Amino acid sequence: MSSSGRPARGRPRSFDKDRALDVALRAFWERGFEATPVAALAQEMGIGVPSLYAAFGDKRALFTKVVTTYGRTYGAFALRALEEEATARAGVARMLREAAGEYTAPGRPHGCLLISAATNCTPGSADVEQLLRGIRRANQAVIERRIAADVDAGALPPGTDPATLARLTGTVLQGMSQQARDGASRADLEAVVELVLRAWP
């Protein structure tokens, strides 16, 4: 009771925003954007729906935050490999080998959120699908530029087609993601990677 005799107002329930965001990330990663209702998200995050909206905005705004978080955490390995290795071939080889482990890591959803979270979207969620498509295309463009730089520097043969090699890399990553969701093991995916790398000049 307060000094005026009226019941004291309870303080709003606090929550760990970063932890709640990671819970939402894993939910979207596992089930996809459309198959994850706001009510279920709020329940899994341990907050009410009004608190979810207050903290993160609507479902699309929350998903955008999730995608950004994924890109700098679980998904950061890919472009980091390309940046840190001395050649495009070494960078792509590391990227694909690490993807085999990341996509099948225990204790979290398999595959890649950027690839699987907006498959089979209805027209009402076309913007979500476009968001992920844009990120995938941008990532492929980074790979293409890295390959083109190696061609210019003489690290790859003059007849190398950067666009096709970059598309091959993107196609393999997407296929590995789906294979991981279908139950392929890390060893299964690593064997695929070694075979794909033989196609590099």
Side-chain angles (χ1 to χ4, degrees), residues 15-62:
F15 67 98
D16 184 332
K17 193 171 181 179
D18 289 338
R19 179 193 168 280
L21 186 59
D22 189 65
V23 170
L25 187 156
R26 288 169 179 257
F28 283 128
W29 191 355
E30 178 67 36
R31 298 193 294 269
F33 177 78
E34 289 201 340
T36 307
V38 171
L41 275 172
Q43 183 176 17
E44 290 174 37
M45 293 162 76
I47 58 177
V49 172
S51 295
L52 185 153
Y53 286 134
F56 300 105
D58 63 14
K59 183 179 175 182
R60 280 173 171 74
L62 172 59

Side-chain angles (χ1 to χ4, degrees), residues 96-106 110-111 175-193:
L96 295 178
R97 287 170 181 146
E98 289 187 6
E102 294 290 336
Y103 290 175
T104 58
H110 286 176
M176 289 172 67
S177 175
Q178 187 57 54
Q179 284 286 308
R181 291 181 72 86
D182 287 347
S185 68
R186 177 174 184 167
D188 292 334
L189 298 183
E190 288 174 337
V192 170
V193 170

Side-chain angles (χ1 to χ4, degrees), residues 152-163:
D152 292 341
L156 286 169
T160 301
D161 182 346

Side-chain angles (χ1 to χ4, degrees), residues 125-140:
S125 298
D127 56 332
V128 172
E129 190 174 20
Q130 185 60 40
L131 168 68
L132 298 188
R133 185 183 297 117
I135 294 171
R136 294 193 299 268
R137 286 177 175 169
N139 289 344
Q140 185 170 304

Side-chain angles (χ1 to χ4, degrees), residues 60-135:
R60 280 173 171 74
L62 172 59
F63 185 74
T64 300
K65 289 181 176 67
V66 158
V67 168
T68 300
T69 300
Y70 180 86
R72 62 178 171 76
T73 55
Y74 301 104
F77 72 91
L79 294 185
R80 182 172 60 235
L82 203 64
E83 292 168 359
E84 293 178 354
E85 295 299 324
T87 65
R89 190 188 194 286
V92 167
R94 175 177 156 187
M95 179 191 300
L96 295 178
R97 287 170 181 146
E98 289 187 6
E102 294 290 336
Y103 290 175
T104 58
R108 66 191 198 211
H110 286 176
C112 172
L113 178 143
L114 300 181
I115 294 169
S116 63
T119 55
N120 300 321
C121 275
T122 62
S125 298
D127 56 332
V128 172
E129 190 174 20
Q130 185 60 40
L131 168 68
L132 298 188
R133 185 183 297 117
I135 294 171

